[in-house]
Amino acid sequence: MNYKEVISNLKDLVYKWDNIKEICDYIILAAVLWDSSDIHIEPLTSYVRLRYRLDWELREILEYQNFLHSWVIARFKIMSDLKIDESRVPQDWRISTTIEWKSLDLRVSTLPTVHWEKIVMRIVDKSKQIPSLNTLWIEGNNFTLLEKAISLPNGIILTSGPTWSGKSTTLYSVLTNLNKIWVNIMTLEDPVENQVDWINQSQVKPDIWYSFANGLRTALRQDPDIIMVWEMRDKETVDIAVEASLTWHLVLSTIHTNSASETITRVLNMWVQPFLIPASFNIIIAQRLVRKLCSCKKKIGLKDVWPQTLANIKNAISLTSKTELENRVWDKLKNPFFYEPVGCDLCGWDWYKWRVWLYEVLEITPGVKEMILSGASAFSINRQAIKDWMISLEQDGIMKALNWLTSLEEVYRVAKSQKG
């Protein structure tokens, strides 16, 4: 069955108020067949809403009556070993299963609301192969800087971005590239999303005081060459990571910030001394995922682009190094045109199919180092980094739009230019 047939069957079961087990199975099956990343089951005033997240957007699938919700919640709690009789506090765990020959982890989270419990399930496909660095759309100077950073024996490589921006995929791709028989690689993860041969992966458990900071201290006693810390959440973890990078270890991690330059101010706000950042950080990566245009796209010229968008493009391109433009899009800029979505049966009339990464890679150049030591703002650091040939998220998005991978509308939805 395809996902449309499954959803049709699901609607029939909900209408008949019958077989809760089958209803729950179909909720998961439809999401997997539709390649969704999250399942949202939300109790509202007069009904319950089921939505799937597909390529970052939530799509409403169906509605059902409130009295069914307690049974649905109970079924999913049983599947994920949660307490059925506890609805006053949030709970979370996971379901491991196999659907359509795919090995899946469903990260289940419940949350009490004013109506009843909301449940969200994040779908992690463990059967997917980790992509190589060459397939992540890291291009031009960005790829050169990343290759240089991972070739160094020590330092910190930090990736930033919102949830589901592909940070963990980037780190796993880097680890796969570095994974050699003569290298000791250790990871501290929450949770372990992909199990990789030859890498020592450890699941942190904060409820029994096995935190990232405690795990990192122990990992440093295990003679590692490379350490991946899932997230820099607190000052203690950052301090130990900086110390590890200064004592001949390569450290990879993630952090939640909006841009590479804001990552620097976030680290400084964790009371890391400014002089330690140039000494310990190799590069800082900010990234986003934008939806990729389906093959039904149609060509548009500059005259069809909104005036404000055109002004933003001209401003962003004027800040980009000419060398980078010559390498990647100079010929296209002589007679530029873009594509916009149309809709067809292949993409389900949603205009887009799959996703593409946008990257900005900030190197600690002498100019950026001077800015950090002088206490400059994130905006000033960003402008200096662009002067030193950093390609911003907006610029990388424009270049990918010029290469007909995505639309300008999608670029400016995800990677808006910074104000200032």
Side-chain angles (χ1 to χ4, degrees), residues 143-386:
F143 191 78
T144 302
L145 290 174
L146 180 57
E147 278 194 316
K148 175 184 173 184
I150 66 177
S151 67
L152 297 174
N154 68 303
I156 296 175
I157 297 173
L158 204 55
T159 64
S160 68
T163 304
W164 285 111
S165 60
K167 301 187 297 295
S168 59
T169 301
T170 299
L171 289 185
Y172 275 124
S173 296
V174 170
L175 286 179
T176 303
N177 184 276
L178 295 171
N179 191 11
K180 311 296 181 186
I181 194 67
W182 56 85
V183 177
N184 181 17
I185 301 177
M186 304 193 66
T187 73
L188 299 166
E189 305 178 49
D190 185 21
V192 176
E193 290 190 359
N194 293 284
Q195 296 185 24
V196 186
D197 290 337
W198 298 358
I199 292 180
N200 306 287
Q201 297 173 270
S202 182
Q203 165 81 54
V204 300
K205 297 175 181 177
D207 53 331
I208 58 171
W209 306 106
Y210 179 31
S211 63
F212 285 118
N214 292 336
L216 188 50
R217 284 194 193 91
T218 304
L220 289 172
R221 302 188 194 106
Q222 297 279 319
D223 187 30
D225 299 297
I226 300 166
I227 305 172
M228 184 182 82
V229 183
W230 197 243
E231 187 178 346
M232 298 277 193
R233 292 180 179 172
D234 51 62
K235 180 183 184 301
E236 188 178 13
T237 305
V238 174
D239 286 343
I240 300 170
V242 168
E243 183 181 341
S245 71
L246 295 173
T247 54
W248 220 250
H249 300 90
L250 185 62
V251 180
L252 285 70
S253 190
T254 71
I255 195 167
H256 285 280
T257 56
N258 291 322
S259 67
S261 56
E262 288 179 29
T263 300
I264 293 174
T265 57
R266 172 77 186 278
V267 172
L268 289 172
N269 287 337
M270 292 181 180
W271 301 103
V272 173
Q273 294 295 325
F275 68 88
L276 289 174
I277 294 178
S280 57
F281 281 73
N282 294 346
I283 56 170
I284 300 170
I285 303 169
Q287 61 186 85
R288 299 289 189 277
L289 280 170
V290 294
R291 294 174 295 172
K292 187 178 181 182
L293 282 166
C294 180
S295 57
C296 60
K297 59 193 176 186
K298 72 174 183 179
K299 185 188 296 187
I300 61 169
L302 281 180
K303 62 182 178 62
D304 299 313
V305 177
W306 285 98
Q308 184 57 53
T309 302
L310 189 59
N312 290 338
I313 292 170
K314 289 179 179 178
N315 179 61
I317 292 297
S318 69
L319 299 172
T320 310
S321 67
K322 187 175 180 182
T323 302
E324 185 71 8
L325 286 176
E326 288 173 346
N327 289 340
R328 293 177 60 184
V329 294
W330 186 250
D331 290 337
K332 290 184 174 63
L333 283 172
K334 292 177 182 176
N335 185 25
F337 62 89
F338 302 90
Y339 278 90
E340 66 179 12
V342 177
C344 67
D345 289 334
L346 179 63
C347 61
W349 298 94
D350 289 327
W351 306 340
Y352 298 93
K353 193 74 174 175
W354 303 295
R355 291 180 288 180
V356 176
W357 277 267
L358 304 186
Y359 285 95
E360 68 178 22
V361 181
L362 188 153
E363 183 184 25
I364 310 297
T365 61
V368 171
K369 177 181 178 180
E370 185 177 338
M371 286 280 184
I372 294 170
L373 296 178
S374 64
S377 66
F379 179 78
S380 299
I381 293 172
N382 186 69
R383 300 288 285 192
Q384 180 62 48
I386 290 175

